[in-house]
């Protein structure tokens, strides 16, 4: 046990004298010692006892001798008998809480000992929750009561975690009694050496070796109230000058003033907020007070002025150890032989004041730091030692350090005005503080200054701050600083901090970085270290260091919040409230907070959670029971009253605002001098009741008397005319309809004036629920009322009746709420909050969760006949990797047979995962939170989750309104409009049009969070579906079958989202090099001669041109694999073109005619049973459709209407089931036969594979089987949805057979028909040609890009299609296809000249560049117009061909890394929110900016150096803004980004020839004069191992590596853009 002193073998008795008086308010008694053995001699036989209730909440009782009795009874009117009980024999006392009679302090457990030099008192306590006592390093805030002995006696010692005594003397503790918050404090007013023992009873024992036992008990309903009562007695803290709340730098032994100035200048240069510079004892001459080194610090008298010029302050140190006295005791400190002033003597005080005043006149400074005042001594006692007497060697020595009273201090028999040093040693620092306060008042007069002392005693806080002494640069000391600060908050010194980064030893970068983060929130924030160690000021770590950036970031936050911190100091000064506050002071009813000491609060409202351990980025943090907002992201925390793993990477600290707070702020600057001139603001954090309150105290920050003056006289006029410009309101659930500001008049003669805040001064972030009010200009000191009217709960509604013709009866039949809204598009029928499923069981492992959920049967079914609800579901959540997770809601049902690539092993290390997942119980929902920002990126705990047989719905709240993706359909902008827009997804032969579901289905979106982080979400579901966006922001998925199988990737950059997504679905195929050349096609070539003439004219015009196509015209009656006699010479023409470096691609449709007498493709297919049929229980027949093939022996009359033509001329067609392996074999054989026996080709173009049919369902229109499959209970908003799902396609009950033999309905797999068609086509192409080639497909699904490119279908010749093509390419960039294009100049309608010319310019930069138009329209190829058109087309295509090595490298990086080729600006400049809405410009990779348009283009120039591609001149000074770019007819705007190297090659008419030309590099230097790039090269068409047959080159290029690149035996031309 720690306590070695056993109770004496004697009885402690009440004296026989009678009680002198019993008053209601006080008690006086005489005590007499009973006969018993003596412990240490000097027992005192007669004692006096005095007790009084000095206030309702303060009890004093004193045991003393007559010689110590001061007769200061101040009769009060507070009854005492309900609080204090006396036991007569033996003497003891019991202190109770009068409200409930609970015993708080009971001394009857052990005897009282009172001798001349040994006093002991023990008391039982009601709780182990004991805080305080000091000064020590307790290593934890709540005391360990397992026999711990804490000595108290001021001492110059190292705060290294031992149990020894340190600089201050604080026999005060606070005890929290219970969850009610009831607390009390105990203060022993005794300055002698003592020890306090805590034992498990719980109990406390005091042993002191002098003075009297003068106890004060403070009663509080809360811990805060106890502190306030204690400071009512000892004195409330001084309010420091405003500037002293700024960041401060110090160092022992800069060596010279020039080194000090270097430190100042380097920190100024990096813009660190920084108010105060110190000099330690090295500025002195031989370390003597009131001197300075005239050599190394010769300019010290001017140093304060040097700092003041930049708004900074100067503080110097004094030690007070060199003054004469009547009787000198010589010893040794820093100057050598020294004497010690007796600050208890008035003569000495006068001397000290005079010396200080003289020194100040010589060396100006702004405040004073006093040190070594324990008092510290490098000798034991004196140079001559100490006398052998009972003061230097008392009968009992408490367990102080070294267990020698005069160790490292004075002899105890030294005489001072207040008495023997033995009695007043621990008051030495206190007395020096009092003398120094006199000196500061003399020098600074009415100006407020600051004092910092090392040694302290209760009451010092009225005058001075304190730092926690000479700590060390280690991870223990950064932890222990927090309990130390919290304790001094109890002791009444709120201006407290530790030496940031440690005083002794060299600090590692990580330790100093983490310490700077937390130190930014110390009330006294100073970085200080010792002689001989490397500098640790922030700038010393370098301007690009994470430490510097992180330090600057959090100091800027500190300075932003200084008005709040200053208000806290005002509250401390006027009411005694703590500034730095333990969690238990605010959340005392939560026992989990009682031991929290790795986090702390600023006042009530700001929670600081630092990282205090090495090598970690996750902190086990406690979130108290309140609503909290992340200070940096402003988002509401999902957690409360729980421990969480808080992700805090290297540059982050946890900072959270408590709901209910109003925090005053001010725009920060590098000093408080400047920041106090800036506009102010408010952060309003609404609580659960949508309420908040706060205070602001403001004065000039410098004057002594101004506190009282400005508080008592309201309406303080700020000389800087400060205004509140901005108010940020957190937790506003809906956007405001309006905001008004009322200026409240103070006089009776004028009325209030109200103004409406303009809409452009109002910003609402829906995802974060934050309202920003800007430009308010509210005068400081005036009274205003700010009101906003919310759009109630309308945007929180989730549509319960998405079908048309909703009414109240239909709505309530579904168990939903009917309530009209005045807001357009808001649903009137919406789900109750608990509509959905509830959690039945949940199991979590390291790799995920399994949750069983059941439907809340409180409500009716989903209300769709024929689609019964599924009541029980299984939810599986899998942590696949650090950046990818899956959540799947399912039962035994159809699942999508598209294979995905997930890691073989899950990520089981929580610390590595970027996300955390929470489950809500009622209604069931999944929440995915990005750990480093706290952003909730998925929250499906929204009402309305439905899972029925043919209707599944789930809604989730989005992280922001910035959502991109979903398709395939035409969108007018890249970023989705969230104002209640619904987009159907069901693959269909449908030309692009607004809200028309088109050819492919891609249920994937990318979300941008307001922190500029990005994530992606894939719903792996192949049924018909729709998604509805709403302004909440939220999205609702509705699908007609399957399961919910979501995959989420966490980025965090947009480019990484795509990389991670393609890791999952597969990287894009690498196309043949030639496919990057220009391509021509037309539906409507009459014969092969038209193609031959076109080829001749293009060659004659010298226009680069690599690929020619044949559309269905080349086929006999549109039959696959059959050549039209009008094209009998096409095979020969193709051979000639290929010999001349051209390539040829022809089209194939999946539908095979069944009306031929002998058609091998159909015959062989039927024999192999490859065609889609009915389920056998309905029929064994093929499901017949009609597509392009005509009946034999008919002449088509094209003047008839379309439906009549289909009925009269179109043959019955069968649709291959490409899921079957037999179908792939058949398809391969047909392609091979055509290649070998009819015509060569280099690529394949597959079309009509949605699958498209010209009849609805089947010939005759009568689909067999369940008609609900054709017309389901819910129809998404699809084109012609009134016609059912089988409109222009197959019957939904058609049967298909997966490769594993499982039979599925076309209803489930319709959307992946094109996907199933693509891989067999790609495999056949590679196998038949032996080359890479390309496949281009119309219908796509996630992972189709592994095999094919895509064009955006049958578009129209109109101007809007130019910019819409960019949007379409952007969206398919997310879905990763190597080649994306729109038909240049449009497929339908007649192209207009300038439109087509501009489209040729734009299309020259499509990844897949093809001009294609439809039958019946005029030609639109480049040689069909005029010579100008031809020249412009040639010039722009020459640019394309010049840059093909760069484009091919991008394709390779897409294929290997998942990088995008066509890149939205936001992918490269995501931190610039202006790029988030841009969709009329795009990038090739990171380096080439394309800004197309006509005449004049308003283009955005992102924040980088850019060079005009055409003129090679940079846009000097134009960055981060819109620019009007003159764009004459022959011009397209191209800009190269500085810092990049682009490989290029001299162009030719085909890539066959251009690839033989020399290569070159364009080197565009960055601002720093550097550039880098990469380059991939191979033979351009090899497959697999053959792909590298010509020694591919993948080089990382930089300006310094040009020579090494040239050594690859390639000829390079170098163009450097300076």
């Amino acid at each position: 046990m720690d306590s070695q002193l056993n109770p004496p073998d004697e009885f402690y008795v009440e004296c026989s004298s009678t009680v002198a008086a019993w008053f209601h308010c006080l008690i006086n008694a005489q005590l007499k010692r009973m006969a018993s053995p003596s412990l240490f001699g000097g027992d005192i036989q007669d004692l006096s006892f005095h007790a009084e209730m000095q206030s309702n909440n303060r009890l004093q009782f004193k045991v003393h001798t007559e010689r110590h009795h001061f007769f200061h009874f101040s009769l009060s009117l507070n009854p005492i008998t309900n609080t204090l009980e006396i036991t007569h024999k033996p003497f003891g006392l019991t202190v109770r809480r009068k409200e409930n009679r609970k015993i708080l302090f009971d001394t009857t457990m052990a005897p009282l000992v009172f001798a001349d030099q040994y006093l002991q008192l023990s008391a039982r306590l009601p709780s182990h929750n004991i805080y305080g006592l000091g000064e020590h390093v307790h290593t934890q805030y709540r005391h360990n009561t397992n026999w711990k002995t804490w000595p108290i006696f001021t001492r110059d010692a190292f705060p290294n975690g031992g149990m020894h005594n340190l600089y201050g003397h604080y026999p005060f503790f606070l005890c929290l009694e219970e969850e009610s918050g009831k607390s009390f404090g105990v203060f022993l007013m005794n300055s002698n050496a003592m020890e306090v023992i805590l034992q498990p009873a719980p109990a406390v024992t005091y042993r002191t070796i002098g003075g009297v036992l003068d106890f004060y008990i403070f009663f509080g309903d809360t811990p805060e109230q106890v502190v306030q009562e204690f400071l009512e007695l000892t004195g409330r803290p001084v309010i420091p000058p405003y500037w002293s709340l700024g960041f401060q730098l110090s160092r022992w032994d800069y060596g010279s003033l020039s080194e000090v100035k270097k430190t100042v200048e380097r920190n100024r240069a990096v813009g660190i907020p920084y108010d105060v510079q110190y000099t330690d004892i090295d500025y002195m001459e031989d370390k003597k007070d009131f001197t300075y080194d005239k050599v190394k610090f010769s300019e010290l008298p001017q140093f304060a002025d040097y700092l003041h010029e930049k708004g900074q302050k100067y503080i110097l140190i004094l030690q007070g150890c060199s003054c004469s006295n009547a009787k000198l005791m010589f010893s040794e400190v820093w100057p050598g032989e020294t004497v010690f002033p007796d600050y208890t003597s008035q003569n000495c005080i006068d001397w000290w004041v005079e010396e200080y005043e003289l020194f100040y006149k010589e060396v100006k400074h702004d405040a004073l730091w006093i040190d070594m005042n324990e008092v510290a001594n490098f000798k034991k006692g004196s140079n001559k030692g100490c006398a052998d007497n009972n003061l230097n060697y008392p009968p009992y020595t408490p367990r102080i350090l070294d267990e020698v009273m005069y160790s490292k201090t004075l002899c105890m028999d030294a005489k001072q005005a207040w008495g023997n040093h033995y009695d007043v040693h621990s008051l030495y620092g206190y007395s020096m503080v009092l003398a120094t306060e006199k000196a500061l008042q003399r020098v600074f007069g009415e100006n407020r200054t600051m004092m910092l002392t090392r040694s302290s005693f209760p009451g010092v806080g009225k005058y001075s701050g304190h730092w926690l002494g000479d700590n060390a640069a280690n991870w223990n000391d950064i932890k222990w600083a927090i309990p130390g600060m919290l304790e001094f908050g109890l002791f009444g010194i709120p201006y407290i901090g530790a030496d940031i980064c440690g005083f002794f030893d060299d600090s590692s970068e990580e330790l100093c970085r983490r310490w700077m983060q937390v130190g930014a929130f110390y009330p006294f924030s100073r970085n200080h270290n010792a002689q001989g160690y490397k500098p640790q000021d922030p700038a010393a770590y370098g301007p690009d260091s994470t430490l510097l950036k992180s330090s600057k970031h959090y100091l800027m936050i500190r300075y932003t919040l200084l008005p709040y911190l200053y208000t806290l100091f005002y509250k401390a000064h006027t009411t005694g409230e703590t500034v730095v506050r333990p969690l238990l002071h605010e959340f005392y009813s939560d026992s989990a907070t009682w031991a929290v000491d790795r986090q702390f609060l600023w006042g009530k409202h700001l929670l600081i959670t630092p990282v205090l351990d090495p090598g970690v980025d996750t902190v086990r943090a406690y979130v108290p029971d309140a609503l909290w907002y992340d200070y940096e992201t402003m988002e509401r925390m999902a957690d409360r009253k729980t421990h969480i793993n808080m992700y805090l990477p290297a540059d982050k600290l946890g900072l959270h605002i408590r709901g209910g707070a109003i925090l005053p702020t001010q725009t920060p600057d590098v000093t408080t001098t400047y920041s106090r001139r800036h506009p102010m603001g408010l952060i309003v954090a609404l609580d659960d009741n949508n309420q908040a309150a706060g205070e602001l105290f403001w004065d000039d920050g410098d004057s002594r008397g101004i506190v009282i003056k400005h508080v008592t006289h309201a309406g303080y006029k700020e000389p800087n005319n400060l205004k509140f410009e901005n108010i940020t309101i957190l937790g506003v659930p809906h956007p405001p309809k309006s905001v008004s500001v009322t200026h409240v008049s103070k006089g009776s003669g004028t009325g209030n004036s109200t103004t409406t805040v303009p809409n452009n001064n109002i910003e609402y972030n829906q995802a974060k629920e934050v309202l920003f009010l800007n430009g308010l200009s509210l005068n400081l000191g005036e009274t205003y009322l700010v009101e906003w009217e919310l759009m109630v709960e309308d945007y929180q509604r989730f549509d319960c009746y998405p079908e048309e013709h909703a009414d109240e009866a239909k709505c309530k039949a579904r168990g939903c709420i009917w309530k009209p809204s005045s807001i357009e598009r808001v649903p009137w029928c919406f789900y109750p909050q608990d509509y959905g499923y509830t959690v039945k069981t949940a199991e979590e492992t390291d790799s995920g969760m399994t949750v069983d959920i059941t439907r809340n049967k409180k409500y009716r079914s989903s209300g769709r006949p024929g689609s019964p609800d599924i009541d029980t579901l299984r939810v599986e959540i899998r942590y696949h990797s650090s950046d990818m997770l899956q959540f799947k809601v399912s039962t035994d049902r159809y699942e999508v047979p598209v294979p995905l690539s997930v890691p073989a092993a899950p990520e089981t290390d929580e610390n590595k995962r970027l996300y955390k997942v929470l489950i809500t119980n009622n209604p069931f929902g999944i929440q995915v939170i990005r750990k480093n920002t706290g952003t909730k990126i998925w929250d499906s705990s929204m009402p309305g989750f439905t899972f029925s047989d043919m209707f599944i719905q789930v809604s989730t709240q989005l992280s922001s309104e910035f959502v991109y993706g979903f398709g395939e359909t035409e969108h007018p902008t890249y970023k989705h409009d969230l104002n209640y827009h619904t987009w159907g997804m069901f693959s269909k032969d449908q030309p692009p049009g607004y809200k028309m579901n088109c050819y492919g289905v891609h249920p994937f979106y990318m979300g941008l969070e307001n922190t500029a982080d990005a994530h992606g979400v894939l719903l792996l579901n192949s049924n018909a579906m729709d998604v509805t966006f709403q302004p909440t922001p939220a999205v609702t998925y509705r699908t007609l079958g399957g399961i919910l199988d979501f995959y989420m990737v966490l980025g965090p950059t947009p480019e990484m989202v795509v990389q991670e997504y393609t890791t999952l679905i597969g990287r894009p195929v690498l196309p043949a090099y030639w496919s990057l050349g220009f391509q021509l096609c037309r539906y409507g070539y009459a014969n092969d001669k038209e193609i031959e003439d076109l080829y001749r004219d293009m060659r004659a015009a010298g226009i680069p041109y690599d690929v020619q196509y044949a559309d269905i015209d080349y086929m006999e009656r549109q039959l696959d694999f059959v050549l039209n006699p009008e094209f009998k010479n096409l095979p020969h023409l193709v051979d000639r073109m290929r010999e001349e470096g051209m390539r040829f691609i022809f089209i194939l449709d999946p539908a095979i005619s069944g009306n031929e007498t002998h058609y091998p493709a159909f015959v062989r297919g039927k024999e192999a049973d490859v065609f889609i049929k009915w389920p056998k229980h309905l029929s064994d027949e093929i499901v017949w459709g009609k597509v392009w093939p005509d009946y034999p022996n008919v002449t088509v009359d094209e003047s008839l209407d379309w439906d009549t033509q289909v009925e009269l001329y179109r043959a019955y067609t069968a649709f291959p089931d490409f899921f079957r392996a037999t179908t792939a074999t058949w398809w391969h054989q047909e392609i091979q036969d055509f290649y070998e026996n009819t015509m060569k080709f280099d690529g394949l173009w597959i079309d009509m594979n949605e699958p498209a049919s010209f009849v609805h369902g089947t010939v005759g229109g009568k689909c067999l089987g369940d008609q609900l499959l054709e017309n389901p209970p819910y129809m998404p908003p699809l084109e012609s949805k009134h016609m059912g799902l089988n409109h222009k396609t197959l019957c939904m009950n058609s049967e298909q057979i997966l490769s594993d033999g499982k039979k599925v309905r076309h209803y489930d797999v319709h959307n992946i028909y094109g996907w199933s068609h693509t891989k067999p086509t790609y495999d056949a192409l590679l196998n038949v040609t032996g080359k890479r080639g390309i496949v281009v497909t119309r219908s796509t699904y996630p992972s189709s890009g592994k095999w094919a490119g895509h064009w955006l279908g049958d578009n129209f010749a109109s101007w809007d299609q130019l910019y819409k093509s960019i949007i379409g390419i952007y969206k398919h960039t997310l879905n990763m296809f190597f080649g994306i294009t729109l038909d240049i100049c449009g497929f339908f309608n007649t192209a207009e000249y300038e439109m087509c010319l501009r489209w040729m310019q734009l299309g020259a930069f499509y990844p897949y560049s093809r001009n294609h138009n439809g039958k019946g329209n005029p030609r639109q190829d480049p040689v069909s117009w005029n010579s100008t058109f031809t020249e412009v087309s040639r010039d722009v295509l020459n640019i394309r061909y010049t840059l093909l090595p760069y484009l091919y490298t991008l394709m390779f990086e897409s294929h290997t890394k998942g990088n995008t080729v066509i890149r939205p600006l936001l992918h490269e400049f995501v931190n610039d929110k202006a790029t988030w809405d841009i969709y009329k410009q795009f990038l090739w990779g990171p380096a080439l900016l394309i800004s197309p348009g006509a005449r004049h283009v308003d283009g955005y120039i992102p924040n980088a150096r850019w060079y005009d591609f055409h003129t090679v001149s940079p846009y000097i000074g134009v960055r981060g803004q819109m620019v009007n770019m003159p764009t004459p007819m022959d011009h397209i705007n191209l800009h190269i980004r500085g810092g990049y190297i682009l490989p290029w090659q001299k162009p030719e008419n085909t890539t066959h020839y251009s690839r033989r030309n020399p290569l070159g590099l364009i080197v565009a230097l960055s601002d720093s004069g550097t550039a880098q790039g990469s380059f991939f090269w191979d033979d351009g068409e090899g497959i697999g191992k053959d792909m590298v047959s010509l020694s591919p080159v993948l080089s990382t290029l930089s300006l310094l590596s040009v020579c090494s690149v040239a050594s690859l035996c390639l000829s390079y031309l170098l163009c450097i853009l300076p």
Side-chain angles (χ1 to χ4, degrees), residues 1303-1494:
K1303 297 176 180 179
V1304 293
R1305 304 171 300 189
H1306 189 72
Y1307 176 87
D1308 294 312
V1309 297
H1310 169 86
N1311 286 336
I1312 54 175
Y1313 186 88
W1315 174 87
S1316 70
H1317 185 200
T1318 304
K1319 186 178 187 299
T1321 305
Y1322 178 71
D1323 291 342
L1325 173 70
L1326 267 60
N1327 185 269
V1328 167
T1329 66
K1331 301 293 183 182
R1332 200 180 310 162
I1334 60 166
V1335 173
V1336 181
T1337 181
R1338 191 167 74 172
S1339 185
T1340 60
Y1341 188 81
S1343 79
S1344 292
K1346 290 194 294 183
W1347 309 297
H1350 174 61
W1351 86 107
L1352 297 179
D1354 299 339
N1355 59 343
F1356 293 85
S1358 61
W1359 278 98
D1360 69 306
Q1361 292 295 303
L1362 275 75
Y1363 80 82
K1364 287 179 180 175
S1365 72
I1366 300 173
I1367 298 168
I1369 292 172
Y1370 272 5
K1371 289 190 301 177
H1372 282 84
T1373 285
L1374 294 179
N1375 300 316
M1376 289 309 285
F1377 291 89
F1378 78 83
I1380 300 293
T1381 188
L1382 240 68
D1383 287 342
I1384 295 172
C1385 298
F1387 181 77
F1388 290 119
N1389 301 339
T1390 300
E1392 183 265 329
Y1393 180 89
E1394 184 177 357
M1395 181 209 71
C1396 189
L1397 181 61
R1398 294 299 188 181
W1399 210 332
M1400 278 296 299
Q1401 293 170 338
L1402 167 59
F1405 295 93
Y1406 290 165
Y1408 164 37
S1409 181
R1410 184 180 74 165
N1411 182 311
H1412 177 217
N1413 73 325
K1415 190 174 183 179
N1417 295 312
R1419 283 175 55 186
Q1420 60 189 33
D1421 52 82
V1423 292
S1424 64
W1425 300 89
N1426 63 12
S1427 60
T1428 300
F1429 195 108
T1430 299
E1431 290 171 8
V1432 172
S1433 299
R1434 180 175 57 243
D1435 290 346
V1436 75
L1437 287 171
N1438 273 329
I1439 294 174
R1440 176 186 180 90
Y1441 276 59
T1442 298
L1443 294 174
L1444 283 188
Y1446 175 57
L1447 181 59
Y1448 191 54
T1449 299
L1450 294 176
M1451 292 287 180
F1452 174 76
E1453 292 178 342
S1454 177
H1455 174 65
T1456 56
K1457 301 177 183 177
N1459 295 358
T1460 57
V1461 176
I1462 292 295
R1463 197 166 295 179
L1465 274 64
L1466 67 88
H1467 278 230
E1468 286 296 313
F1469 301 96
V1470 70
N1471 290 316
D1472 180 357
K1473 290 196 174 183
T1475 66
W1476 294 14
D1477 283 306
I1478 290 175
Y1479 55 85
K1480 294 184 179 180
Q1481 298 168 267
F1482 59 96
L1483 293 157
W1484 268 15
L1488 183 68
L1489 175 63
I1490 297 102
S1491 305

Side-chain angles (χ1 to χ4, degrees), residues 225-293:
Q225 189 178 343
V226 170
V227 177
Q228 292 166 20
E229 292 292 336
F230 175 54
L231 299 186
E232 179 73 22
L233 175 71
T234 61
R236 297 192 184 104
V238 64
I239 184 167
Y242 195 93
W243 56 261
S244 71
L245 303 184
F247 178 60
Q248 310 181 27
L249 280 179
S250 180
R251 178 170 171 75
W252 171 28
D253 200 7
Y254 282 109
S256 68
L257 188 61
S258 62
E259 189 62 32
V260 180
K261 287 186 175 181
K262 283 182 186 177
T263 303
V264 173
E265 290 299 333
R266 69 173 173 244
N267 284 278
R268 285 176 176 175
V270 295
I272 281 281
Y274 161 40
D275 263 82
V276 182
Q277 179 62 52
Y278 286 71
T279 54
D280 206 325
I281 56 175
D282 44 299
Y283 83 84
M284 301 175 181
E285 182 183 47
D286 298 327
K287 303 182 179 65
K288 293 180 290 187
D289 278 354
F290 308 123
T291 67
Y292 70 94
D293 188 325

Side-chain angles (χ1 to χ4, degrees), residues 472-488:
N474 60 62
W475 290 94
N476 280 332
D477 283 15
I478 189 177
K479 292 185 188 73
W480 297 338
I482 296 176
M485 289 195 305
L486 297 178
E487 287 169 353
F488 273 90

Side-chain angles (χ1 to χ4, degrees), residues 698-720:
W698 198 252
D699 63 2
D700 69 0
D702 276 320
S703 300
R704 279 185 180 266
I706 206 163
V707 172
I708 298 174
K709 193 184 336 178
H710 288 159
V711 172
T712 56
H713 298 85
Y716 163 65
K717 297 296 182 183
E718 163 60 41
N720 292 316

Side-chain angles (χ1 to χ4, degrees), residues 1093-1103 1105 1423 1430 1434 1549:
D1093 291 345
L1094 171 64
Y1095 174 58
R1096 182 194 63 239
D1097 293 346
M1098 287 288 289
R1099 280 289 163 261
I1103 296 176
Y1105 160 48
V1423 292
T1430 299
R1434 180 175 57 243
N1549 284 352

Side-chain angles (χ1 to χ4, degrees), residues 834-866:
D834 59 348
Y835 191 109
Y837 285 71
T838 59
V839 173
K840 185 178 179 182
T841 62
E843 178 182 353
E844 183 172 8
T845 67
D846 290 340
S847 59
M849 301 184 199
T850 301
V851 184
D852 291 321
I853 59 175
T854 58
R855 188 171 70 86
N856 183 355
K857 296 183 180 179
K858 169 183 175 182
Y859 299 103
R860 300 179 178 88
S861 72
S862 57
R864 292 172 178 86

